Amino acid sequence: MPVVNPEKLVGLQRSSEAVRNDHGKTSLTDALIATNGIISPKLAGKIRYLDSRPDEQLRGITMESSAISLLFSMLRRTSPEAIPEQKEYLINLIDSPGHIDFSSEVSTASRLCDGAVVLVDAVEGVCSQTVTVLRQVWTEHLKPLLVINKMDRLITELKMGPGEAYTHLSKLIEQVNAVVGSFFQGERMEEDLKWRERVDERVAAASAKEQERAEKRTSKSTNRALPDDEENEMTSSTTGEFEEKDDQDIYFAPENNNVIFSSAVDGWALTVRQFAAIYEKKLGIKRASLEQVLWGDFYLDPKTKRVLAQKHLKGRPLKPMFVQLVLEPIWAVYEATTGGGRGKGHGIDGRSSDATMLDKITKSLSITIPPHVLRSRDSRAILITLFAAWLPLSTAILVSVIEHLPSPLIAQSNRLPAMVDASPGAAHVDPVVRDAMVNFKASKGDPVVAYVSKMVAIPESELPQNKRRGGGLSAEEAREMGRKKRAEIARAQALSNGERSDLTDVTQALQSSSIGEEDGDASFAEEKQDADPEHLIGFARLYSGTLSVGDAVYVLPPKFSPANPHAHPQPQKVTVTALYLLMGRGLEPLTSVPAGVVFGVAGLEGHILKSGTLCSQLSGSVNLASVSMASKPIVRVALEPVNPSDLGKLITGLKLLEQSDPCAEYEMLESGEHVVLTAGELHLERCLKDLRERFARCEIQAGEPIVPYRESIVSASEMAAPKQKDLPRGTVVGNTTSKQITLRMRVRPLPTVVTELLVRNVEAIKRLYSERRAEEEGAKLNTTEPQDGEIDNEIDEAQAVGNSLLSLGDLRKDLEEAFRGVKAEKDIWADVADKIIAFGPRRVGPNLLIDATGADICQRFLRDSHKIDGADTTDHDSAQPSADVLKPGDFADKISYAFQLATAQGPLCNEPIQGIAVFLEEVSLNIPTEEETPAREKLGRLTGEVIKTVRTTIHQGFLDWSPRLLLAMYSCEIQASTEVLGRVYGVITRRRGRILSESLKEGTPFFTILSVLPVAESFGFSDEIRKRTSGAASPQLVFCGFEMLDEDPFWVPFTEEDLEDLGELADKENVAKRYMDGVRKRKGLFVRGRKLVENAEKQKTLKR
């Protein structure tokens, strides 16, 4: 294969019609890379070129997205009668990971691309990661291309015949289409709901207008009717029909040439169009017509050579055309070389019939296999050589990419309008910027807009400017250079000692200089390691304009909004220091980059944390950094250096890791612990390896994984008596230290329906709270400018999540319906929705603070906007008491703040609380009137007392019920054969998992097991599954929320029956108490009942 010059790729970047941006999988991309001469075709599928990390090669999985630019030339006709012309294309390929822990890499890569090559295993079918990738493709409006890979497993492992394989493939494509159809259906139902709301608004407006006109007519005492045109206009405006979207183009169908069947390990792939071209002349059917009938229930009449539909078979046992013309020849090749379904070793060696079949196949296909390959005892070498000449994988993939996936010019006009509309502050985007992005304007004077999806860490020695053109020095060259250097040193010493340059002195000098050679080399290596720092390169896509080295652009942070461009944090202007062409393991320098290209950019270090937008102008710019991550970091681990003096290196390394990894996060706890958050166990291993070897370069000690919990309460059948017998359960009367303020509060468990509603609508509550803050700021007296620029950012950030967020009225309506659905204690929850003061913790959590005083002490959260006025705000503004006498309303914000603190750290183990309602029943003040202290001073003195009392009171009311822990849970999907099914069940049960379903994949011996597993028990789970099943099963873990552990951590046996069964020591382990004590011990809290010494014996002393 000829090696493609990078200058050729740079030249093709200027032609937007010849560029394709998509991402695929590693083994398959090896065959594509081989077409450019970067690797040998014999190593394709084995070398995994884009897996540049050693741990990726060791584990055989991709952990980081890698990009490479490929050149592909093909003959194309401008019209059916025209002469074919050779045309060259540039394909920017991004290889993304398939493991669920690294799905954030897929999220970041998807925004850079215009299309996606989605791979599905022909045997395993649709799994959880397939659904995640398809959802990301749908969200980003990418055009997908389905590749059904590992077709060879149907022959060698499942021993299927061509007919069985066809049925299996049909069902597999239906499964993938069912996933895509569910996305379409959900979007359509959402649009239908919005359309109905708009129609209702129009009808209400039209009826109000009609009523107003009727009143005018009666007031004027005239009987003049409305003109006909006005009535018709009103009718048409209210009775618009819902426009149905056509979903025909969104599904995968081989006849539409968006499905490829392949085997990357054997190096072949095929499409329906390919075989239509092969059989066009043989069958005498036009190629376009043949493409439509090669897949599906169409049959070929062997006598008339006519295509028959199923209804015209008349009972004849004909095979579908795809089986007869496509699958059977492929099965014949496997039969003639490797023995097909009979397994390896039954090939052509010593079997004249197989040799005859192979000779027949090669002659019919006009293929010549080299003699040395035919003489080989490796039957797979013959198989791969035959397929490489007949159905090369690279040709099928690249031709489909070029013909099916759009160029940047077409893709941006389809994708970017929705992307810009979904960005924060979309109404304030400059029309010039929008037009340049949508219409793909790439000239020098057009606005520059680029999206940086992530930062990639590159060692300084790997940068193009630091590499030697001829490569690094060989070992012999390095030794020769060392000898010359030592000879020069010896000569200089000889001259300085009286110009004695005899042979003896030179020899002594050489010997003295070579004595410490090893030590010198070791110190040099150590210096080189320290002198090879990591540099961060932006992984970016340019949407408009032309970016050159030396250009100054604005770096827009993720919370930037064009509505308030100078808000904190203010965008910074940076100079582009270098541009790179991404070539997998290497970088090629560029001077400028046109629109529509994926590239690397230097000069952003310290200005972008994870992702951001580059724009040549600040006012009216667009913020594209609003990608929704498929996986959130859930596993936290505290890190510390083995040598305390390396703490500075660790902190620097953690900051570098946070910038270079799109999912990893770094935070420092109040206790001083340095904690890294990762998506899963495998992701954690990769982060620790990067810290030790690249970023921190010191020995690091990792603690036990920190798993999040939630605290809650329930009304159990067996609970201890209330602590205050004269009050209802959960009611606590709290007094401040000075006895001047008394509060009465009641804590109750929130109904499950309401808790689930609040958990689902966290983003909606966040947006409503941001809007409420903005309204209150605007309602303050004599306020001419916004006091806090972050308010607009919060609103725009929440709006960027999606247009499907609930409004204030919708949230109140849903809450009222949820409370009405509660069967028990309806009178308590009757009008609670109107009395909600705040949500918590962090003002958006699933806990409620409710004003039950009857005196409206606190502001209501779900009140209408028109009720906010200056007077209303002043009544509750505690910072400035209106009189010298304090009122309960002056402490409203203190009570709300204490509620946030109480729910952020529960009484069990200082974890967030979920699912409680706190009723504020009474606030009474007993402040002596003879004091001459101003009200402002009294308020300041009592603030701390009120916060402490409210927090303690809520915790006491919480413990009056039966407390529960909520465990973080993983959804676990495992595919296993019947032989290892029992072992898989044993591992899941031993780790406190629960089996949800078990289904047999039709046509295969594999079962799909769905289960849930506590995150706390998941560490080492994947390794144990693989060991127990000898590698036959591998789990995929996805975080799916929190689930209550129905066990009281404070439970002790107290009834006669329990004491008789379990004894006074309670031999049965309290799992909830074990989890709670583990968290308390880690946080340094007091652990009740913990013995420091058990089974102690008297020790001997010297004075015995």
Side-chain angles (χ1 to χ4, degrees):
M1 287 289 176
V3 179
V4 177
N5 196 346
E7 282 76 11
K8 185 75 172 174
L9 301 175
V10 175
L12 276 174
Q13 287 181 347
R14 304 290 170 184
S15 174
S16 63
E17 289 291 338
V19 178
R20 299 293 186 276
N21 300 311
D22 66 316
H23 61 100
K25 300 297 293 178
T26 311
S27 297
L28 186 135
T29 53
D30 276 0
L32 310 184
I33 295 171
T35 61
N36 280 223
I38 299 174
I39 62 174
S40 168
K42 294 181 180 179
L43 297 176
K46 302 172 186 175
I47 193 172
R48 300 174 61 86
Y49 179 77
L50 291 182
D51 284 350
S52 55
R53 296 171 55 97
D55 49 354
E56 288 180 329
Q57 292 286 346
L58 184 65
R59 290 180 177 270
I61 62 172
T62 304
M63 297 184 183
E64 286 183 350
S65 296
S66 302
I68 192 166
S69 297
L70 301 174
L71 171 70
F72 183 66
S73 59
M74 60 181 293
L75 295 173
R76 300 200 73 176
R77 299 175 187 265
T78 54
S79 62
E81 296 80 14
I83 301 173
E85 297 178 0
Q86 186 171 6
K87 193 168 183 182
E88 295 179 333
Y89 293 90
L90 172 67
I91 297 176
N92 295 318
L93 188 69
I94 302 176
D95 175 37
S96 54
H99 196 281
I100 198 74
D101 277 11
F102 308 109
S103 55
S104 58
E105 295 278 352
V106 181
S107 303
T108 55
S110 61
R111 179 144 291 192
L112 304 180
C113 301
D114 299 321
V117 179
V118 182
L119 268 73
V120 177
D121 194 309
V123 176
E124 296 179 4
V126 177
C127 58
S128 57
Q129 182 65 357
T130 311
V131 178
T132 303
V133 171
L134 288 172
R135 182 181 291 111
Q136 193 68 38
V137 168
W138 180 269
T139 305
E140 291 293 329
H141 303 284
L142 303 180
K143 195 161 187 183
L145 195 65
L146 179 65
V147 177
I148 300 178
N149 197 23
K150 301 185 182 179
M151 288 278 292
D152 56 291
R153 294 182 65 189
L154 300 179
I155 307 171
T156 57
E157 290 184 22
L158 302 186
K159 312 289 190 294
M160 286 185 176
E164 294 171 320
Y166 170 71
T167 307
H168 178 77
L169 293 172
S170 301
K171 291 179 179 178
L172 180 56
I173 294 174
E174 287 176 6
Q175 291 174 3
V176 178
N177 285 334
V179 175
V180 179
S182 65
F183 301 150
F184 174 79
Q185 188 67 19
E187 189 175 279
R188 186 199 167 282
M189 290 174 66
E190 187 178 330
E191 291 176 355
D192 181 51
L193 181 63
K194 290 179 182 178
W195 174 79
R196 291 180 186 279
E197 290 176 355
R198 288 196 300 267
V199 169
D200 292 341
E201 290 175 1
R202 289 175 183 173
V203 170
S207 60
K209 203 171 185 180
E210 175 65 23
Q211 187 176 359
E212 184 181 349
R213 286 174 177 165
E215 289 176 358
K216 287 182 180 179
R217 284 199 299 267
T218 52
S219 63
K220 293 181 180 180
S221 301
T222 60
N223 296 325
R224 182 177 60 86
L226 278 174
D228 293 339
D229 55 349
E230 288 188 17
E231 290 184 0
N232 294 336
E233 183 182 351
M234 288 171 53
T235 307
S236 62
S237 64
T238 58
T239 58
E241 294 183 359
F242 179 67
E243 295 182 4
E244 291 282 354
K245 281 189 178 180
D246 185 15
D247 62 342
Q248 187 177 359
D249 296 334
I250 67 171
Y251 296 115
F252 297 104
E255 61 267 23
N256 293 339
N257 295 297
N258 58 2
V259 178
I260 302 172
F261 305 93
S262 75
S263 171
V265 70
D266 291 337
W268 62 267
L270 64 93
T271 61
V272 166
R273 175 168 293 182
Q274 237 175 325
F275 273 82
I278 294 173
Y279 290 110
E280 180 181 9
K281 293 181 179 179
K282 289 184 180 181
L283 299 178
I285 303 174
K286 288 184 179 180
R287 180 176 171 179
S289 303
L290 200 53
E291 287 177 12
Q292 300 301 316
V293 297
L294 260 182
W295 177 269
D297 294 330
F298 297 98
Y299 306 85
L300 183 65
D301 191 335
K303 295 179 181 179
T304 61
K305 300 294 183 183
R306 291 180 59 189
V307 177
L308 303 176
Q310 191 172 15
K311 59 183 179 181
H312 297 123
L313 280 181
K314 298 178 181 179
R316 285 186 290 176
L318 297 180
K319 300 175 183 176
M321 291 180 65
F322 190 78
V323 174
Q324 184 180 357
L325 302 180
V326 179
L327 294 183
E328 285 188 349
I330 292 172
W331 258 245
V333 171
Y334 276 93
E335 184 72 24
T337 53
T338 62
R342 294 193 301 258
K344 296 179 181 179
H346 296 278
I348 64 170
D349 299 333
R351 293 177 60 102
S352 59
S353 60
D354 289 344
T356 305
M357 186 187 297
L358 181 65
D359 187 52
K360 184 180 177 182
I361 291 171
T362 52
K363 285 182 179 178
S364 64
L365 297 175
S366 301
I367 292 172
T368 302
I369 299 178
H372 71 275
V373 176
L374 283 172
R375 289 193 299 268
S376 171
R377 297 185 61 84
D378 184 9
S379 56
R380 281 187 52 79
I382 302 172
L383 175 77
I384 293 172
T385 305
L386 197 154
F387 274 128
W390 179 31
L391 299 172
L393 185 144
S394 57
T395 304
I397 299 290
L398 294 178
V399 169
S400 298
V401 165
I402 289 168
E403 293 185 345
H404 185 72
L405 301 186
S407 65
L409 177 64
I410 300 171
Q412 289 191 191
S413 62
N414 296 330
R415 288 183 63 210
L416 287 188
M419 194 185 298
V420 174
D421 292 338
S423 64
H428 301 275
V429 175
D430 190 349
V432 177
V433 174
R434 183 188 180 98
D435 180 63
M437 294 174 65
V438 174
N439 295 324
F440 195 76
K441 295 186 176 179
S443 62
K444 191 67 178 175
D446 291 315
V448 173
V449 178
Y451 170 64
V452 181
S453 68
K454 67 171 185 174
M455 303 296 287
V456 182
I458 305 290
E460 186 172 317
S461 58
E462 296 294 325
L463 295 176
Q465 59 266 31
N466 298 327
K467 280 191 174 182
R468 300 172 64 91
R469 290 195 174 182
L473 290 176
S474 65
E476 189 61 37
E477 289 173 339
R479 290 192 201 99
E480 185 65 25
M481 185 178 288
R483 290 192 196 98
K484 290 180 180 179
K485 194 71 176 174
R486 287 193 294 271
E488 290 175 4
I489 294 171
R491 196 176 296 112
Q493 287 179 349
L495 291 173
S496 63
N497 289 336
E499 297 184 353
R500 290 181 302 159
S501 58
D502 57 334
L503 184 63
T504 307
D505 292 334
V506 174
T507 307
Q508 289 177 352
L510 287 172
Q511 288 176 350
S512 64
S513 63
S514 63
I515 288 173
E517 185 175 353
E518 292 183 3
D519 295 338
D521 289 346
S523 61
F524 175 73
E526 187 176 350
E527 286 178 9
K528 183 180 179 183
Q529 183 181 5
D530 294 336
D532 192 15
E534 299 279 342
H535 290 270
L536 293 174
I537 305 297
F539 193 24
R541 158 78 183 268
L542 191 62
Y543 286 103
S544 65
T546 300
L547 187 63
S548 303
V549 176
D551 286 353
V553 292
Y554 287 97
V555 178
L556 310 182
K559 290 187 177 182
F560 172 82
S561 172
N564 195 359
H566 298 284
H568 182 78
Q570 191 165 354
Q572 298 177 343
K573 199 167 189 178
V574 299
T575 302
V576 176
T577 57
L579 296 171
Y580 301 105
L581 176 69
L582 303 170
M583 292 298 293
R585 305 182 182 191
L587 301 172
E588 295 291 338
L590 299 173
T591 55
S592 65
V593 172
V597 173
V598 177
F599 64 100
V601 54
L604 307 178
E605 193 167 350
H607 300 284
I608 289 183
L609 179 59
K610 289 184 180 296
S611 63
T613 309
L614 306 181
C615 197
S616 56
Q617 63 184 58
L618 185 58
S619 60
S621 54
V622 61
N623 180 11
L624 299 175
S626 59
V627 178
S628 58
M629 292 294 172
S631 63
K632 300 291 182 182
I634 186 67
V635 178
R636 298 183 294 172
V637 172
L639 306 177
E640 62 179 7
V642 174
N643 186 357
S645 62
D646 292 334
L647 182 61
K649 291 183 179 180
L650 175 63
I651 295 174
T652 305
L654 284 170
K655 291 179 180 177
L656 270 172
L657 175 69
E658 186 180 22
Q659 292 181 68
S660 62
D661 194 303
C663 191
E665 295 180 8
Y666 160 61
E667 63 180 19
M668 185 174 176
L669 302 183
E670 294 178 356
S671 59
E673 292 178 295
H674 300 277
V675 174
V676 60
L677 285 81
T678 60
E681 190 178 4
L682 185 60
H683 187 208
L684 173 63
E685 288 182 24
R686 191 196 77 180
C687 291
L688 293 178
K689 182 178 177 65
D690 284 347
L691 280 172
R692 292 188 179 106
E693 298 179 1
R694 297 175 60 191
F695 300 137
R697 289 181 179 174
C698 63
E699 285 299 317
I700 295 172
Q701 185 176 353
E704 291 294 321
I706 304 171
V707 179
Y709 294 89
R710 297 289 183 267
E711 302 179 17
S712 188
I713 53 176
V714 296
S715 177
S717 56
E718 296 180 358
M719 289 190 294
K723 293 183 175 63
Q724 299 186 17
K725 297 182 180 180
D726 53 337
L727 295 175
R729 185 180 294 276
T731 304
V732 180
V733 177
N735 295 311
T736 59
T737 310
S738 61
K739 307 295 183 184
Q740 294 183 0
I741 300 177
T742 304
L743 300 107
R744 173 171 164 157
M745 310 185 84
R746 187 178 184 186
V747 180
R748 300 185 63 88
L750 205 59
T752 308
V753 183
V754 180
T755 305
E756 292 174 353
L757 176 67
L758 296 177
V759 170
R760 284 197 308 269
N761 294 289
V762 168
E763 293 296 338
I765 297 171
K766 181 180 180 181
R767 186 193 66 180
L768 294 175
Y769 176 75
S770 303
E771 292 175 351
R772 181 56 44 83
R773 280 186 61 194
E775 290 173 357
E776 290 176 357
E777 290 288 338
K780 286 187 177 180
L781 298 175
N782 299 325
T783 303
T784 56
E785 294 182 0
Q787 299 292 324
D788 190 358
E790 295 181 0
I791 296 173
D792 294 330
N793 288 347
E794 289 179 2
I795 297 172
D796 291 326
E797 181 190 359
Q799 288 174 347
V801 175
N803 297 323
S804 59
L805 297 182
L806 294 177
S807 63
L808 182 67
D810 292 338
L811 180 61
R812 178 164 55 190
K813 183 180 176 182
D814 289 352
L815 278 172
E816 289 173 352
E817 290 180 359
F819 281 123
R820 276 198 297 269
V822 179
K823 296 181 180 178
E825 302 175 334
K826 286 192 174 184
D827 53 335
I828 295 176
W829 307 108
D831 53 350
V832 163
D834 292 330
K835 298 179 181 178
I836 295 174
I837 302 171
F839 300 87
R842 301 180 67 180
R843 303 185 184 91
V844 295
N847 303 292
L848 299 179
L849 178 61
I850 298 160
D851 186 359
T853 57
D856 292 343
I857 292 177
C858 305
Q859 288 185 1
R860 309 294 174 82
F861 184 85
L862 297 179
R863 69 190 186 281
D864 294 330
S865 302
H866 67 271
K867 293 183 180 179
I868 301 178
D869 51 15
D872 185 57
T873 309
T874 308
D875 290 342
H876 301 286
D877 190 2
S878 59
Q880 296 180 355
S882 56
D884 291 338
V885 180
L886 291 177
K887 297 178 294 184
D890 296 330
F891 297 94
D893 59 335
K894 280 68 178 176
I895 295 171
S896 177
Y897 178 70
F899 169 73
Q900 305 297 335
L901 292 179
T903 53
Q905 292 186 337
L908 297 183
C909 49
N910 280 8
E911 291 290 313
I913 294 176
Q914 176 173 316
I916 70 167
V918 180
F919 291 83
L920 178 64
E921 296 184 345
E922 184 182 352
V923 179
S924 59
L925 307 182
N926 187 22
I927 301 175
T929 55
E930 60 270 9
E931 291 186 10
E932 296 182 357
T933 309
R936 186 185 295 274
E937 283 189 29
K938 294 179 186 176
L939 184 66
R941 178 167 49 85
L942 293 172
T943 294
E945 295 183 15
V946 170
I947 292 174
K948 180 182 177 182
T949 304
V950 171
R951 187 168 179 264
T952 308
T953 303
I954 293 175
H955 285 176
Q956 289 177 356
F958 181 97
L959 294 174
D960 213 9
W961 298 85
S962 182
R964 293 288 188 273
L965 277 180
L966 278 77
L967 309 182
M969 303 296 287
Y970 274 139
S971 171
C972 176
E973 181 180 330
I974 304 175
Q975 288 197 350
S977 60
T978 51
E979 292 83 8
V980 298
L981 208 57
R983 300 174 198 169
V984 170
Y985 277 19
V987 175
I988 294 174
T989 308
R990 190 162 51 252
R991 290 178 174 265
R992 301 189 59 81
R994 191 175 75 256
I995 306 294
L996 298 179
S997 67
E998 170 198 304
S999 58
L1000 177 66
K1001 279 192 172 292
E1002 194 172 347
T1004 69
F1006 295 102
F1007 282 86
T1008 300
I1009 304 164
L1010 293 178
S1011 61
V1012 288
L1013 185 77
V1015 175
E1017 305 285 350
S1018 67
F1019 301 102
F1021 174 72
S1022 300
D1023 290 338
E1024 186 177 359
I1025 283 279
R1026 281 192 285 268
K1027 287 176 184 176
R1028 293 282 181 180
T1029 62
S1030 302
S1034 182
Q1036 289 210 357
L1037 302 174
V1038 185
F1039 177 68
C1040 63
F1042 291 86
E1043 186 176 295
M1044 184 176 291
L1045 177 63
D1046 194 15
E1047 195 169 356
D1048 191 339
F1050 299 119
W1051 181 85
V1052 290
F1054 61 92
T1055 64
E1056 292 183 6
E1057 190 176 336
D1058 291 339
L1059 289 170
E1060 185 178 347
D1061 290 343
L1062 303 173
E1064 293 184 2
L1065 296 177
D1067 297 336
K1068 180 184 176 183
E1069 183 191 20
N1070 190 331
V1071 180
K1073 187 176 189 307
R1074 173 162 61 86
Y1075 288 145
M1076 182 184 74
D1077 290 348
V1079 178
R1080 292 185 71 88
K1081 181 181 177 182
R1082 176 176 57 79
K1083 292 184 176 181
L1085 304 174
F1086 173 70
V1087 180
R1088 186 180 301 174
R1090 180 185 171 198
K1091 294 182 180 180
L1092 297 178
V1093 179
E1094 289 187 10
N1095 303 323
E1097 296 179 359
K1098 185 177 180 181
Q1099 297 180 354
K1100 294 181 179 181
T1101 63
L1102 295 176
K1103 294 183 179 180
R1104 183 174 179 181

